[in-house]
Amino acid sequence: MQLQLPEPGADAQAASHALQQLIAGEIAAAGGWISFERYMELALYAPQFGYYSGGAAKLGKEGDFTTAPEISPLFGATLAHLATELIAANESIANVFLEFGAGTGKLAFDILSELQSRNQLPQKYFIVEISAQLRARQRETLGEFAALVEWLDALPERFSGVVLGNEVLDAMPVRLAVKSDGAWLERGVAVNAQGAFVFSDRAVDGLPVAQIPDAEELPEGYLTELAPVATGFMRTLAGMIARGAGAVAILPDYGFPAAEYYLDDRSQGTLMCHYRHHAHPDPFYLPGLQDITAHVDFTAMAVAAVEEGADVLAYTSQGAFLLNAGIGELLLRTSPEDSLQYLPQANAMQKLISPAEMGELFKVLAIGKNAEWPQRMLRHDRTHRL
């Protein structure tokens, strides 16, 4: 399939070529095959050349995709209001924030700006960020809050406060599993005679297909993703929360519970790439210059959290979550009669909550420990579907 996508500049093409050489070298050193998980890890995170390690803009109008905080500051303001409510209602939860995968820093900026306007700034706002380029951009965005913000290289051992991770799990490398002759093979990456990356299937030990419901009933040729990296991250996150005095973690992302993730008709998985606001399915197109993601199996994430001692507090659509948390009331701080200010905000809110936009595709999983979740936030809760 020939992709009709915008041409990158010469420097970007050179960076992608360098990354392709690096990946090809690793494939050769490994005997001609690496897992797709390793390919995705290098494509996204290889030092200097990986998508999240390189210097190019990723988010917003000039990037490859747009996240909820980039659409409207109402997203961050709504999370700020919910967070202050949680902190006020739970003595165990400290007035401290921790965000991972903070992107441009826009969500942190919107949260801190909202809290500043209410004279409710936190004691500290931690950001866990492994990308030096994104960390630099976050410092620039959050300059006026420099005294409050501290960057970390990894999650702490324990934490009390409010944890945020917007669209983080979907960017974690996944393994690919394909059903062939009644058995599950791992789909990895090789190099063909022309020097191009190609998929290659092989039998491997330890492929974690046990998480797939009714795996034996799925049709021949069925392809899906398995997410041991995200599952491991959830275990680390839940353990951090369980060891603290009290905490809540709010995780908006796109995905499904297991019963919907592994449907018969989702036979080619959920892997998707984003380049200059074009979505397409080819992970080998310009590695390092495009995002590669997979939908989240929220059942696997919830199970991992519970096994490490955290509680599942809620699971619902992003639309229901934001409406329950009061985004509509925050919009009305701008008078509808002031159409110049009100209409753009109302349109942006509609993108966040509409079932035809982000409202249904995106879900929110909340986990915690020693924390009371507001009763109104359980309207339209879907935890039973996990």
Side-chain angles (χ1 to χ4, degrees), residues 192-250:
N192 68 11
Q194 289 73 45
F197 296 130
V198 292
F199 285 121
S200 174
D201 302 341
R202 62 167 56 179
V204 298
D205 292 329
L207 198 60
V209 294
Q211 71 185 56
I212 303 175
D214 303 318
E216 67 280 355
E217 304 297 328
L218 292 171
E220 187 73 8
Y222 192 92
L223 173 69
T224 193
E225 303 89 23
L226 304 169
V229 174
T231 302
F233 174 83
M234 282 299 295
R235 291 187 183 281
T236 302
L237 172 65
M240 175 192 80
I241 287 173
R243 286 187 288 272
V248 168
I250 298 170

Side-chain angles (χ1 to χ4, degrees), residues 13 28 75 97 123 138 143 207 221 223 315 318 346 354 367 375:
Q13 289 197 47
F75 184 79
F97 286 70
Q123 298 162 8
Q138 291 158 13
L207 198 60
L223 173 69
Y315 169 69
Q318 178 174 288
S354 168
I367 65 170
Q375 194 63 34

Side-chain angles (χ1 to χ4, degrees), residues 50-307:
Y51 181 75
Y52 286 108
S53 308
K58 318 300 180 194
L59 309 172
K61 292 178 182 177
E62 79 279 19
D64 301 303
F65 56 91
T66 302
T67 62
E70 308 288 332
I71 289 172
S72 172
L74 287 171
F75 184 79
T78 305
L79 287 175
H81 275 254
L82 178 59
T84 55
E85 180 182 349
L86 290 166
I87 291 165
N90 294 273
E91 290 184 5
S92 59
I93 299 180
N95 188 17
V96 178
F97 286 70
L98 186 153
E99 184 181 358
F100 45 87
T104 63
K106 179 70 163 56
L107 178 58
F109 178 83
D110 291 341
I111 288 172
L112 290 170
S113 296
E114 179 66 26
L115 294 176
Q116 184 178 56
S117 73
R118 303 175 61 189
N119 294 315
Q120 291 181 314
L121 281 170
Q123 298 162 8
K124 206 75 177 174
Y125 196 108
F126 295 103
I127 294 177
V128 178
E129 181 58 71
I130 60 173
S131 165
Q133 284 78 8
L134 284 176
R135 189 180 285 204
R137 193 167 178 187
Q138 291 158 13
R139 287 187 191 279
E140 187 178 337
T141 301
L142 297 166
E144 67 183 271
F145 300 110
L148 282 177
V149 182
E150 182 177 331
W151 280 264
L152 305 174
D153 296 321
L155 292 175
E157 182 69 16
R158 57 178 50 82
F159 181 78
S160 174
V162 177
V163 183
L164 302 168
N166 184 54
E167 285 195 62
V168 173
L169 297 171
D170 67 81
M172 294 186 177
V174 294
R175 297 173 75 173
L176 298 181
V178 61
K179 195 171 187 182
S180 177
D181 293 329
W184 288 94
L185 304 180
E186 180 156 17
R187 178 156 290 180
V189 182
V191 178
N192 68 11
Q194 289 73 45
F197 296 130
V198 292
F199 285 121
S200 174
D201 302 341
R202 62 167 56 179
V204 298
D205 292 329
L207 198 60
V209 294
Q211 71 185 56
I212 303 175
D214 303 318
E216 67 280 355
E217 304 297 328
L218 292 171
E220 187 73 8
Y222 192 92
L223 173 69
T224 193
E225 303 89 23
L226 304 169
V229 174
T231 302
F233 174 83
M234 282 299 295
R235 291 187 183 281
T236 302
L237 172 65
M240 175 192 80
I241 287 173
R243 286 187 288 272
V248 168
I250 298 170
L251 308 169
D253 222 317
Y254 46 89
F256 312 99
E260 297 172 28
Y261 198 105
Y262 305 105
L263 291 173
D264 280 14
D265 56 5
R266 212 184 304 284
S267 61
Q268 294 306 299
T270 70
L271 200 72
M272 188 57 62
C273 305
H274 300 274
Y275 176 71
R276 305 277 183 88
H277 293 277
H278 293 264
H280 68 89
D282 183 5
F284 303 142
Y285 179 78
L286 295 175
L289 302 187
Q290 65 171 357
D291 191 23
I292 306 173
T293 72
H295 283 51
V296 177
D297 174 355
F298 280 108
T299 298
M301 299 304 107
V303 168
V306 170
E307 287 179 349

